[in-house]
Amino acid sequence: MYTAAIDILDARFKRLVHGNVHLEKLHTGCRWAEGPVYFPAGRYLLWSDIPNNRILRYDECDGSVSVFREPSNNTNGHTVDREGRLVSCEHRGRCVSRTEHDGTRTVLADKWQGKKLNSPNDAVVKSDGSIWFSDPTYGIDSHYEGDAGESEVGASHVFRIDPASGSLEAVATDFVKPNGLAFSPDESLLYVADTGSTHVEEGPRHIRRFKVGSDGRTLSGGEVFATCDPGLFDGFRCDSKGHVWTSAGDGVHCYHHDGTLLGKIKVPEVVANVQFGGAKRNRLYICGTTSLYAIYVNAHGVSQPR
Ligand code: MG
């Protein structure tokens, strides 16, 4: 029935996928595709090719792919802020930066308590304009995805950039390697992946779920929401109904917010991240190692990329 390799593990997943769609391979030739971000006004997708030190651009109108920025400071994750500006996690810059409307680059955060950040990995913007990001060491572990260097912080935290003051505060400090993150549609919950098993034997390869405080800036809880098998949860997004569409070793896994694994979209390469795009936000873009894929689903991204 399904032309794409779709595994229905829970009957509810049938309502989230189509029976007659194909997994499209839009581009290949990357070394490690990551950081997809969609710009509705221009109908294009940007994504990182981290080891190749470049950002690529897929034009949804004509299907062309071009180099958007090279060198890119080995950017990894991206998001769009409330004013439509590109926010980038830079491995080589060891910072979170913003591309202004005039094209100039502004560093938003590169130090915490006087110490250089490790290598920001993924970011999300809340409706109040705050930017939340993870800071594991993947970009300084070797020269492959950035410049090898020491961790000055000595740990890998989740941070929040305050929209008014620009100050940086750690909001979660008990991760091994925090990675992808996404808010639930009403922003009452924050999901954060931990890919610590890359560095610690039997370490975490799960997504944790936090409650966002009524102040909108503090977290509580943090229980394990889902554990990845096979591979690791890297980047992920929530759709408008709160389902979690996440990268995994064998494709994209979709979770109900009750924690049930509803189903999978099998992808022939390891997936690092996903992003909803398309005019109706129902096209799921998939960064799969060397390639960019897409598939239409019966789910929609929230109006602002998160
Ligand atoms: Mg990541």
Side-chain angles (χ1 to χ4, degrees), residues 34 76 121-122 179-180 234-235 272-273:
E34 243 285 13
N76 189 334
N121 187 289
D122 216 343
N179 208 311
D234 192 336
N273 213 333

Side-chain angles (χ1 to χ4, degrees), residues 126 183-190 209-213 219:
K126 198 164 171 289
F183 286 102
S184 61
D186 66 0
E187 299 184 335
S188 66
L189 303 168
L190 177 69
R209 181 164 66 180
F210 294 86
K211 254 179 99 80
V212 180
L219 300 176

Side-chain angles (χ1 to χ4, degrees), residues 193-198 202-207 226-233:
D194 194 334
T195 48
S197 67
T198 55
E202 303 295 313
R205 46 194 182 85
H206 54 224
I207 291 173
T227 299
C228 193
D229 180 28
L232 298 167
F233 296 134

Side-chain angles (χ1 to χ4, degrees), residues 132-143:
W132 303 57
F133 67 94
S134 58
D135 185 41
T137 56
Y138 298 112
I140 57 172
D141 285 340
S142 73
H143 286 295

Side-chain angles (χ1 to χ4, degrees), residues 59-117:
D59 187 323
E60 201 171 70
C61 301
D62 67 5
S64 64
V65 171
S66 55
V67 175
F68 175 78
R69 183 179 297 167
E70 185 177 24
S72 64
N73 271 347
N74 299 98
T75 56
N76 189 334
H78 290 107
T79 193
V80 178
D81 74 7
R82 306 301 288 186
E83 295 178 45
R85 297 170 294 190
L86 174 67
V87 173
S88 304
C89 293
E90 299 185 9
H91 280 183
R92 181 168 290 185
R94 298 179 71 157
C95 69
V96 175
S97 67
R98 181 175 65 210
T99 301
E100 307 295 349
H101 290 302
D102 66 3
T104 56
R105 168 181 170 270
T106 301
V107 173
L108 302 178
D110 60 356
K111 283 192 176 70
W112 179 63
Q113 298 183 342
K115 297 166 187 161
K116 267 191 201 176
L117 296 176

